């Protein structure tokens, strides 16, 4: 039990701010984001205690679970907003109230898209770090090709290698990355 608590404390210290950012990107309320993160870490504690979660997947599990809990919160708030808080008033038509509700629903959708973007951005960052750790030459070529938008001829000139060598390294880097990261990407 003590090992589980130490492990959870380490995970909490490592991923708390990331989970809070993910929740806050969806609901834009720091206080509620903290509450959502507390719920997520309670769920994580239960999974770690039962040893049902692979250590390599904890970060991704936290991101996805936090995002979904925040979206659920958004949906519940919208239902409450729709049924309780937004009956149209004296100076407001039902049409105006419906427009207000649809704006709220659209905002939740945009927030969901932002959370997806943030998760993918984190995934790409980790993928590039893994690639750099595995092969710095491949990382450099991927970065020059996709980030700096340079073609094979420019890269070859900068690195002092042939264009064919650039294309081969680029192909190998993409193949390695795809094999290593495809299952994680599909899970996002």
């Amino acid at each position: 039990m003590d090992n589980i608590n130490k492990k959870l404390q380490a995970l909490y210290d490592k991923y708390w701010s990331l989970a809070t950012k993910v929740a806050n990107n969806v609901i834009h309320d720091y206080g509620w984001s903290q509450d959502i993160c507390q719920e997520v870490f309670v769920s994580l504690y239960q999974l770690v205690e039962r040893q049902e979660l692979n250590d390599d997947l904890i970060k991704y599990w936290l991101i996805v679970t936090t995002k979904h809990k925040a979206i659920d919160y958004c949906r519940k708030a919208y239902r409450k907003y729709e049924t309780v808080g937004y009956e149209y008033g004296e100076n407001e038509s039902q049409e105006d109230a419906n427009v207000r509700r649809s704006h709220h629903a659209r905002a939740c959708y945009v927030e969901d898209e932002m959370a997806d973007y943030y998760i993918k951005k984190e995934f790409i960052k980790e993928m590039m770090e893994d690639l750099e750790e595995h092969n710095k030459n491949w990382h450099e070529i991927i970065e020059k090709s996709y980030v700096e938008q340079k073609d094979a001829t420019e890269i070859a000139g900068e690195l002092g290698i042939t264009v064919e060598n650039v294309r081969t390294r680029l192909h190998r880097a993409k193949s390695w990355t795809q094999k290593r990261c495809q299952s994680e990407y599909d899970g996002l």
Side-chain angles (χ1 to χ4, degrees):
M1 190 69 154
D2 194 36
N3 286 339
I4 292 172
N5 288 337
K6 286 181 183 177
K7 182 177 182 175
L8 190 66
Q9 184 63 46
L11 292 171
Y12 184 86
D13 293 341
K14 186 174 182 180
Y15 296 122
W16 170 258
S17 64
L18 174 64
T20 305
K21 285 178 188 175
V22 170
N24 199 39
N25 280 342
V26 176
I27 62 174
H28 301 289
D29 185 308
Y30 188 72
W32 283 110
S33 297
Q34 289 179 325
D35 289 348
I36 288 167
C37 288
Q38 290 291 351
E39 290 178 27
V40 169
F41 276 94
V42 167
S43 299
L44 177 64
Y45 178 80
Q46 293 165 347
L47 288 174
V48 169
E49 191 174 48
R50 294 188 306 249
Q51 298 177 344
E52 292 182 6
L53 190 60
N54 182 340
D55 289 348
D56 298 335
L57 301 176
I58 287 176
K59 180 178 181 179
Y60 299 108
W61 181 89
L62 277 169
I63 290 170
V64 171
T65 303
T66 302
K67 174 187 152 196
H68 288 285
K69 282 205 182 277
I71 291 167
D72 288 346
Y73 167 81
C74 203
R75 287 181 184 142
K76 287 177 187 174
Y78 179 70
R79 277 196 295 265
K80 181 178 179 183
Y81 172 87
E82 184 177 49
T83 58
V84 177
Y86 260 84
E87 296 178 13
Y88 49 97
E90 296 173 21
N91 298 328
E92 180 179 44
S93 69
Q94 184 172 2
E95 185 177 318
D96 291 339
N98 289 339
V99 167
R100 220 170 338 142
R101 281 194 291 271
S102 76
H103 285 304
H104 180 74
R106 214 171 303 131
C108 287
Y109 174 77
V110 168
E111 290 160 358
D112 187 27
E113 291 296 313
M114 287 176 18
D116 285 342
Y117 169 78
Y118 182 75
I119 290 167
K120 286 179 181 170
K121 185 176 174 183
E122 281 290 314
F123 174 78
I124 290 169
K125 179 182 173 210
E126 281 195 11
M127 181 182 67
M128 290 298 287
E129 287 171 356
D130 287 348
L131 180 63
E132 183 176 29
E133 193 174 297
H134 178 71
N135 189 320
K136 291 185 190 267
N137 292 330
W138 290 356
H139 176 268
E140 185 177 20
I141 288 174
I142 290 281
E143 197 168 80
K144 288 182 181 297
S145 179
Y146 291 101
V147 177
E148 297 174 20
Q149 299 288 311
K150 295 181 178 178
D151 65 9
T153 307
E154 289 177 287
I155 296 169
E158 286 181 18
L159 300 178
I161 58 177
T162 66
V163 173
E164 189 57 38
N165 197 308
V166 169
R167 290 184 180 136
T168 300
R169 290 182 186 184
L170 187 59
H171 174 74
R172 288 179 181 166
K174 287 172 20 181
S175 295
W176 180 85
T177 303
Q178 185 175 12
K179 286 177 189 171
R180 177 147 171 97
C181 302
Q182 188 66 46
S183 62
E184 293 175 30
Y185 181 78
D186 291 340
L188 293 180

